[in-house]
Every structure is written in C-alpha cells, then in structure tokens.
Amino acid sequence: MVCIAGWGHTKFGKLTDMSLEDMIVAAGREALTDAGIGAEAVDGIWVGHFNGGLVPDGFPASLAMSIDPALRFKPATRLENACASGSAAVFAARQAILSGEARVALVIGVEKMTHLPTAEVAEALGHAAYQAEEAGLSFPGVFALFAQAYFDRYGDQSQALAKIAAKNHGNSVNNPLAQLQKPFDEAFCAQVSERNPIIAAPLKKTDCSLVSDGAAALVLVAEDMLGDVTKAARLRAVAQVNDVMPMSKRDLLAFEGPRKAIHQAYARAGITVNDLDVAEVHDCFTIAELLIYEAMGLAAHGHAADVLEGGVVHAGGRLPVNLSGGLKAKGHPVGATGVSMHTLIARQVLGLADAMQHPGAELGLVFNMGGSGVANYASIIETVKA
C-alpha cells in the first residue's frame, strides 16, 4: 500500500505575482516540510500540468528542482491527462512505489491560467476535446450538451443545478484556500441575471467552475515508512478508466467512464457507496456533479436531484460532497485539481480539515475527470495513522 504523509497547497485564484515555477516551489516545499521528510529522501518527482497553450512552459518537470538543491538529479516527469493531469501524477507516483522503484514520491499539480483573456483560456481548454468533431466547442458548450440531454430526458433540472452551486459556494466559506469564499443563495443561482448570465444554454455563470491559478503537492510514501512519519492516509484502492473521446460515440447520460472508475475503486476497496464518509468530486460544471451522484450509486438515473432534496450531500449530511467548495468555488487550476482533491480527502480522514471537517470521517472518495468523462480517476482514501 501507498500512503499520503504530507501536503502543500497554494491558495487558488488570481495569483498575479506567482509564476508557474513559483507555485511549484511553494506547494512542493510546503509538502516536504509538512511530511517531515528531507528532499534528499525523495526518489522521484511527478508533475501534473495540462498547459494546452496556457503558458510557454511546455517542459515543467525540472522546475521542481528549485524546491531544494537536494532534488537535483532526481528523476522528474510531467503527466498530462486533461483536467485529470493531477491524478495522473498521483497514480504514476503510486505505481513507482508499488513497483519498488521508489519509497518516497513528491507529486505536484499546477496550472497558470488567469493571465489570459477568457476566450484564450477557453481555446486552450478546448484542446482536450475530440478535434475531429468537437474543435471550436468550448467546455461550457460541451457540458451544456450533457445538461440539455438530461433536461430533455428527465425534465428541467435548473433548480437542482442551482442547489449544487449554492451548496458548493456555501462550503467554500470554510476553506481559506478557495478562490471564491462567497456564499450565493439558491435563488440567485437559479435566476438568469446581469450578474448570472447564460454562458452556454442551459448553463449559467453559477453553473461553471472558475478560471484559476494554483498548485497542490503530496508526499507519498511506502507503507513500511509509517514509523518515519507523524501522520498517514492510505490509498486503499484506485481505478483509472479511459473512454473513447468522441461524444458522438457515447451515451452522455450513462456517464459510463466515471461510473466504471468509481465502481472499480469500490470493488478493489471492498466497499459500497454506503461506506463512504465524504467525497471530493469533479464539479467542473454543476451538471457534472449531478451526473456523478448517479455514477457514485447515490441515485438511480434521472433521480440525482433527490439526494439534494434530502440533504445527503450537504455539509452535515450522510455523505457530504465537495466540502472544500469544489471546482465550482475553490477553483479549478486544471493540473492542480486532482492533487488538491487528494490533499483535501487526506485531511478529512485524518481529522485535519479545520472548518471543513466532517466529524468522524475515516473513508473518502476522490473522483477526478479529464475531458467530457474521458479520463476518469477514482481513489478511496482511509485513515491509517492520525
């Protein structure tokens, strides 16, 4: 088994004064300090970074050497798998430890986005779509197709999407690392207005995640190092599933890639959704979170809104989802997101999530997704040394 022994995390948002390298250094250095492990003990570095033309740094792995001189000559690799690039880095580092090639791995996820106009950010992110059929379609446009298909089959779900947005904004108030620590009520999120315009019908501004800068980092260790660290959360099980890229070849509402990844992780961990205490999931758009409830097994197809009506996924509910504020309010610096999710669930199961803490959390789910449900990563994380 592989364990998370420490983490670092910049604030997410418009970090004008920080370069890509600055963010890598800040998060990585904090993670090593938090784990109490010196840079000389690190066996490899894995960096999750999408880029897609967002920055000119197309070769960022060795920027991590600036964290500490002792990292020079350590192997460093950049991983890219769209919005799941961070989890790709986590999974690759985990595999290196399981193979015996490493005992200590430094994982960093990072993205720099806010310096560009919104249209240029949308163009860069659009590179994660299937170019033969979907070139020129923005990701709000992509997920608007999911939303419209859901509405056509199950009726207008605008109120459910507003509940998700309001929930996640409310949660973000408790997360000092969040980009937008500001509550929005359900009525505001449900209503089209000058402050909440339609971005891609039927999705409004409050249905869309944020353009963000930021980095997050983890120190992963082999389980035989538990005696050398002060805390540890175990990656009990993981699963990665990639689907075909063209949306035209998929039933959008089946959300098969996310469902298969999550349920493979359940099976490998020997659990069901009812055993989970907390989850951080990929709410790039509110419709994505709604579909993920069904993929998790919380609701049957077409009935995801029921878990919102019952308060199941809210703070204090049976299985709170996105207590950090999610991508919706915490922010979504693409390459950093998967690493951030893993840090947040590790903090939850170790009782170190401060104002975000769900009492008694011992078992959590991370679900991170790249593209339109194409690259799907699920992790089950549990307490092992608190």
Side-chain angles (χ1 to χ4, degrees), residues 51-346:
N51 196 347
L54 291 166
V55 294
D57 305 276
F59 181 39
S62 282
L63 295 178
M65 306 293 172
S66 297
I67 293 168
D68 191 288
L71 293 177
R72 190 180 181 194
F73 305 123
K74 305 283 187 180
T77 305
R78 177 264 187 118
L79 284 296
E80 184 280 314
N81 222 357
C83 297
S85 296
S87 287
V90 173
F91 279 38
R94 171 184 173 273
Q95 288 168 341
I97 292 174
L98 291 175
S99 74
E101 289 293 315
R103 295 180 72 234
V104 177
L106 177 61
V107 181
I108 304 166
V110 66
E111 210 71 59
K112 182 78 173 171
M113 305 173 73
T114 66
H115 59 291
L116 293 179
T118 300
E120 292 184 31
V121 173
E123 181 182 359
L125 296 178
H127 295 150
Y130 182 55
Q131 299 305 299
E133 295 178 6
E134 300 156 18
L137 185 62
S138 70
F139 264 88
V142 166
F143 278 89
L145 295 175
F146 283 86
Q148 195 58 61
Y150 200 96
F151 288 17
D152 288 347
R153 189 176 298 180
Y154 301 118
D156 189 329
Q157 302 291 315
S158 297
Q159 206 64 42
L161 300 189
K163 289 179 186 293
I164 290 171
K167 170 183 73 70
N168 291 350
H169 277 288
N171 289 343
S172 74
V173 173
N174 294 319
N175 183 3
L177 299 171
Q179 179 170 352
L180 194 58
Q181 286 180 270
K182 185 176 182 179
F184 291 134
D185 63 28
E186 185 182 327
F188 174 78
C189 296
Q191 184 66 42
V192 176
S193 65
E194 186 176 346
R195 292 176 57 213
N196 190 27
I198 291 288
I199 301 300
L203 300 179
K204 299 178 286 294
K205 187 174 183 179
T206 50
D207 293 311
C208 305
S209 59
L210 303 169
V211 173
S212 319
D213 305 328
L218 293 170
V219 175
L220 301 184
V221 300
E223 195 163 23
D224 64 6
M225 291 187 64
L226 285 179
D228 301 321
V229 297
T230 59
K231 61 183 180 298
R234 181 187 284 120
L235 289 163
R236 177 163 164 177
V238 306
Q240 177 191 352
V241 167
N242 272 56
D243 205 345
V244 295
M245 286 194 74
M247 290 191 293
S248 62
K249 294 186 177 180
R250 290 181 270 138
D251 175 354
L252 297 185
L253 301 188
F255 229 38
E256 290 172 279
R259 180 179 295 272
K260 286 181 179 294
I262 291 167
H263 285 267
Q264 280 184 20
Y266 290 167
R268 292 170 185 176
I271 66 166
T272 71
V273 66
N274 295 322
D275 296 307
L276 293 172
D277 299 310
V278 67
E280 288 283 326
V281 307
H282 199 93
D283 61 321
C284 49
F285 299 90
T286 52
I287 184 62
E289 182 165 329
L290 195 74
L291 287 164
I292 290 166
Y293 296 158
E294 297 177 6
M296 289 171 65
L298 282 172
H301 289 301
H303 291 276
D306 295 348
V307 302
L308 290 158
E309 293 292 345
V312 172
V313 293
H314 287 71
R318 179 174 64 79
L319 176 50
V321 174
N322 288 336
L323 287 171
S324 68
L327 286 60
K328 178 70 211 66
K330 179 188 66 175
H332 183 26
V334 175
T337 288
V339 182
S340 171
M341 289 173 156
H342 283 81
T343 71
L344 289 156
I345 290 297

